[in-house]
Amino acid sequence: MLEVAGLSVQYGQHRAVDGVALTVAVGEIVVILGANGSGKSSLLKAVAGLQPPGVQARVTLAGRQLAGLPAHAIVEAGLALVPEGRGIFGELTVRENLLLGAFARRARADEARNRERVLALFPRLAERLEQTARTMSGGEQQMVAIGRALMSAPEVLLLDEPSLGLSPLLCGELFRALGQIRGDGISVLLVEQNARRSLAVADRGYLIENGHIVGTGRAQDLASDPAVQRAYLGGARRA
């Protein structure tokens, strides 16, 4: 289980995240919903070791303290981030991007098996293994980014706005893939603009405003909450 407590992120005098606490259980999809600038991406970066999480922060995975470790050590512990914007190596091929994902010591022994799982999850990558990543569509590049993260054999996958800029068709493929990833026992902590689709696939959710968690609950309860509908789902549903 991933447990976060007392996590804060500060940029100069601005505190983007303030004392956040959350949990993600084994094989669970948890979504974080919030407006632009509410601290969602800063939260994920801090959990992944790309931003200082504050001196009081506690970030543990299966009981191991991760707060304060460098990002590469956090990957070795079993946590992988797919950042907003994907962050793939555009001049490398799909195969080479996936191979880099398996650089972590924890992943090397099972590299071939993990690659098979990624290509089964995203069959179109199997057709494009030798294609240069920058020549692919945005949706295909997102598959490469998620596949590269999965090659590190994570216990928890952090996803920052994975459907941003994708067509409805590819968006559907992405959310179906999240269900399969959960089925493999990998937990997912998801920041996502598409609140309706993310709540449909998630088990639980958190609401964040101005760097503070202001609500939490089962995904189906949040989806039916009139306040959540007004704020994130385009208005309350009519009876």
Side-chain angles (χ1 to χ4, degrees):
M1 173 185 284
L2 174 68
E3 296 183 280
V4 175
L7 187 146
S8 299
V9 177
Q10 192 150 336
Y11 304 102
Q13 297 301 310
H14 173 62
R15 181 160 285 197
V17 179
D18 191 3
V20 161
L22 58 83
T23 62
V24 184
V26 175
E28 185 178 44
I29 297 178
V30 175
V31 62
I32 302 173
L33 300 178
N36 290 338
S38 60
K40 304 186 301 297
S41 292
S42 294
L43 170 58
L44 289 193
K45 288 177 182 178
V47 172
L50 299 179
Q51 292 285 350
V55 294
Q56 302 298 323
R58 181 169 176 78
V59 180
T60 62
L61 180 59
R64 178 184 177 185
Q65 171 72 301
L66 303 183
L69 294 180
H72 67 85
I74 291 176
V75 173
E76 289 287 2
L79 190 150
L81 170 67
V82 179
E84 182 180 352
R86 306 175 188 112
I88 63 172
F89 296 94
E91 299 303 319
L92 301 183
T93 65
V94 171
R95 185 190 301 276
E96 290 166 336
N97 270 276
L98 296 180
L99 182 61
L100 285 173
F103 183 76
R105 288 190 302 274
R106 64 178 285 120
R108 293 175 191 172
D110 291 327
E111 177 189 327
R113 186 176 67 175
N114 288 336
R115 184 172 59 247
E116 290 177 4
R117 290 170 63 183
V118 168
L119 297 182
L121 185 66
F122 299 119
R124 90 177 55 186
L125 294 186
E127 304 167 1
R128 293 165 168 77
L129 280 173
E130 307 309 325
Q131 185 170 343
T132 303
R134 65 174 173 77
T135 66
M136 306 176 78
S137 70
E140 291 165 346
Q141 289 184 24
Q142 189 63 272
M143 294 175 191
V144 174
I146 296 173
R148 183 184 61 188
L150 291 173
M151 288 293 292
S152 71
E155 295 176 28
V156 180
L157 182 65
L158 309 181
L159 294 173
D160 193 356
E161 302 286 9
S163 77
L164 189 64
L166 301 191
S167 68
L169 179 62
L170 287 177
C171 188
E173 288 186 28
L174 168 67
F175 282 100
R176 282 192 293 274
L178 293 185
Q180 292 178 253
I181 290 169
R182 172 177 52 191
D184 288 336
I186 299 172
S187 305
V188 178
L189 181 58
L190 171 67
V191 163
E192 175 53 50
Q193 58 165 352
N194 192 327
R196 194 176 301 279
R197 285 222 167 179
S198 58
L199 287 173
V201 74
D203 299 289
R204 293 187 299 111
Y206 291 88
L207 310 179
I208 186 169
E209 291 181 8
N210 299 318
H212 296 84
I213 298 296
V214 297
T216 185
R218 296 189 307 166
Q220 63 190 53
D221 294 336
L222 293 174
S224 61
D225 186 320
V228 174
Q229 291 172 4
R230 285 192 298 271
Y232 305 109
L233 303 177
R237 295 174 181 169
R238 301 187 181 214

